[in-house]
Amino acid sequence: MTEPRLYLVRHGESEANVAGVLQGQSHGALTAAGRDAAGRLGRALASLSVAERPTAILTSDLRRAVETAEIIADALGATPQLLPAAREWNVGVLDGLPAAALTDAIERSGLPAAEFAPSGGESMNQLQARAAQALADLAHEAADGAHVAGRERTLLVSHGDFIRMAIGAAASMPIDAANSLKLRNTSLTEFTLSNGTWRVERIGDASHLDE
């Protein structure tokens, strides 16, 4: 039996990405470049053999992820399903502020970065726990009914910090190390499921953008 796979895709470039502001769990909108990149990824995935192509598409329910998933799904002839647990890090009152505001707030708090939670938001520790639980749920679904429920190869469109914490959880990586991973918009990270545990196979593949 082929090992189930999970493809984690960061959403396409958003207007907030271009502006350099924190967007957390606000919805956001893709730029023209973001839509184009999502289309490139969709076509690259559609060109794969049937044995490699995603069989199910899930997405964070934030608009920038949903829009990305819809573009990819159109190329694959699929319909995305919402997975709210895959939302981006909740940065609370910092949402919409320049990225430097987060660094300033962490320094003022005197807490380790992983323990700092903005007012109304969550800490990076809490985000990693949420990502780890989502991975556990997806592993359970893939292991229990991969060939019945079409979960042989699941593609999940999510967000940079969520994906970094998912990688960290799967690879037992310290949060600081996971947080330093570079993930381009629409980059693809691949996990395989072995004995009920996700194994990281590749991180941040953006080769479709170079074609």
Side-chain angles (χ1 to χ4, degrees):
M1 176 178 169
T2 303
E3 294 178 330
R5 297 187 205 176
L6 175 63
Y7 301 115
L8 296 175
V9 173
R10 186 183 176 198
H11 63 80
E13 178 188 78
S14 68
E15 293 174 354
N17 289 149
V18 174
V21 299
L22 301 166
Q23 52 190 334
Q25 295 193 357
S26 58
H27 284 282
L30 297 187
T31 63
R35 291 189 292 273
D36 176 71
R40 290 182 182 221
L41 177 57
R43 291 190 293 274
L45 292 170
S47 72
L48 296 175
S49 68
V50 173
E52 296 179 292
R53 201 176 302 156
T55 54
I57 298 180
L58 305 178
T59 179
S60 154
D61 61 345
L62 298 179
R63 183 60 204 166
R64 60 189 184 276
V66 172
E67 188 176 359
T68 303
E70 289 173 343
I71 293 170
I72 294 170
D74 185 61
L76 294 169
T79 301
Q81 299 178 353
L82 299 180
L83 184 66
R87 282 186 167 201
E88 180 60 299
W89 182 23
N90 184 352
V91 295
V93 296
L94 300 179
D95 206 320
L97 296 180
L102 174 60
T103 302
D104 292 343
I106 293 173
E107 290 178 352
R108 288 197 305 271
S109 75
L111 295 170
E115 297 178 14
F116 170 73
S119 178
E122 63 187 336
S123 69
M124 195 63 74
N125 281 334
Q126 290 171 319
L127 172 60
Q128 187 173 66
R130 174 159 61 87
Q133 184 59 57
L135 289 180
D137 292 343
L138 290 168
H140 178 74
E141 293 172 7
D144 279 359
H147 295 290
V148 175
R151 290 299 180 85
E152 298 97 324
R153 294 173 300 281
T154 300
L155 184 145
L156 170 60
V157 179
S158 186
H159 309 266
D161 286 323
F162 179 92
I163 295 173
R164 291 183 188 96
M165 292 303 103
I167 293 169
S172 299
M173 185 183 298
I175 285 181
D176 287 347
N179 206 30
S180 69
L181 294 171
K182 303 299 182 185
L183 300 174
R184 295 173 67 181
N185 291 101
T186 72
S187 63
L188 185 148
T189 293
E190 180 181 358
F191 294 174
T192 55
L193 187 66
S194 178
N195 297 319
T197 301
W198 291 113
R199 181 176 65 244
V200 181
E201 299 290 349
R202 54 177 165 155
I203 295 174
D205 184 351
S207 55
H208 58 282
L209 298 178
D210 300 324
E211 297 177 355

